[in-house]
Amino acid sequence: HRTKPVLQMIDLSPVFVPKAADVLAETLREQILNGRLGVGSLLPNERELSERAGLSRTSVREALRILEVEGLIATRTGRNGGSEVVRPTSATLERSIGIFIRGQNIRNQSVLEVREAIEPQAARLAALHHQADDWAALVQAHDKLLHAGEDIPVFLQANLDWHVSVVRASHNELLIAFIAAISSSVYAATDLAGFNSADVRHAVGVAHQRVMDAIEARNADSAARRMGRHVGAYVSSVASREDVKAAA
């Protein structure tokens, strides 16, 4: 008998076999996100899920933990415990982005560049959509900033609160969630020793007032332009400091 030749060139790539828990989590996740399992729905208990899915209770428990971390279910323990479908909050996004920023050692410059990309559009939307309570929050944060004096932490927190208030006034849920998610990193990126001098703090106050004037007048183009100049100047200043630091 002739021996069949062995194929020398087979186009194969590594085959990924997902864990059983990941498969179950994906199945339940899709039913939650497409609305089949609505907010408030109770999932079957671990034993029933295990029997229906043909998986071990360990795999079921792991799948439920995945969904809980993602903010899609809330799990209660005890006799009357169980898993209930809930609406995800910005806390889930904040945790994930915070881990990414710290885990990847993202530079302060990059965090501030995100602000530069987002906040002019947020100011535009704020001019169009702000309501009385939005305006009150802006005024309150601005007043705190102006009266912070030499207390740099108070100034930085008031500055952050003001920027977050502008984004909240946009009434765009995704922008609000994303800014909330990076707000602690923004605070850290602006807390630079020796950078927030009296002149810088005064310039920030003036820039904020100009943006507020445009928002109050519901001049969307002016609000976007003024916010762009403000955050752009700040990003450039921080970049120059980091360049000096790197060269030193």
Side-chain angles (χ1 to χ4, degrees):
H1 298 284
R2 294 176 60 186
T3 303
K4 293 183 179 180
V6 177
L7 294 178
Q8 298 298 321
M9 300 297 292
I10 302 177
D11 187 10
L12 284 177
S13 57
V15 177
F16 171 73
V17 180
K19 293 168 57 179
D22 293 332
V23 174
L24 178 56
E26 174 58 27
T27 299
L28 294 173
R29 182 189 300 114
E30 183 57 31
Q31 293 186 48
I32 292 171
L33 295 178
N34 68 21
R36 184 172 180 181
L37 293 172
V39 173
S41 298
L42 294 176
L43 298 184
N45 60 35
E46 285 184 10
R47 180 181 56 79
E48 186 176 350
L49 279 172
S50 176
E51 291 174 353
R52 291 170 61 173
L55 299 175
S56 69
R57 293 186 66 168
T58 300
S59 293
V60 169
R61 198 171 298 122
E62 184 177 350
L64 294 177
R65 269 200 301 266
I66 292 171
L67 297 177
E68 188 170 23
V69 169
E70 292 175 351
L72 294 175
I73 64 171
T75 302
R76 302 185 302 273
T77 58
R79 183 175 181 181
N80 298 317
S83 299
E84 179 182 349
V85 177
V86 296
R87 194 180 304 279
T89 67
S90 61
T92 305
L93 182 64
E94 182 174 356
R95 182 168 53 248
S96 298
I97 291 179
I99 290 172
F100 178 80
I101 289 173
R102 295 183 65 184
Q104 293 288 333
N105 197 25
I106 301 297
R107 298 176 304 131
N108 289 343
Q109 176 76 6
S110 296
V111 174
L112 295 178
E113 285 170 354
V114 170
R115 285 181 66 196
E116 188 177 15
I118 290 176
E119 292 194 27
Q121 177 63 13
R124 177 188 300 278
L125 295 174
L128 296 173
H129 304 307
H130 77 273
Q131 300 174 6
D133 55 342
D134 301 317
W135 181 251
L138 269 176
V139 170
Q140 182 180 34
H142 187 55
D143 285 346
K144 285 183 179 179
L145 182 144
L146 294 180
H147 294 93
E150 298 296 320
D151 193 330
I152 301 302
V154 170
F155 168 81
L156 291 175
Q157 187 60 55
N159 183 42
L160 179 62
D161 291 344
W162 184 88
H163 282 272
V164 171
S165 294
V166 171
V167 179
R168 290 189 182 282
S170 73
H171 290 271
N172 181 293
E173 297 88 343
L174 193 54
L175 284 178
I176 294 169
F178 192 78
I179 285 296
I182 67 170
S183 60
S184 60
S185 297
V186 168
Y187 182 96
T190 56
D191 187 13
L192 302 174
F195 179 67
N196 293 289
S197 65
D199 288 342
V200 168
R201 299 196 304 274
H202 174 73
V204 168
V206 171
H208 284 192
Q209 187 61 61
R210 288 172 178 164
V211 174
M212 290 174 67
D213 290 343
I215 290 175
E216 186 178 26
R218 297 195 181 276
N219 188 329
D221 289 341
S222 179
R225 186 171 57 253
R226 292 176 182 185
M227 181 65 91
R229 282 201 296 262
H230 170 46
V231 294
Y234 205 89
V235 170
S236 297
S237 297
V238 172
S240 64
R241 278 182 55 90
E242 292 199 336
D243 287 344
V244 169
K245 187 190 302 181

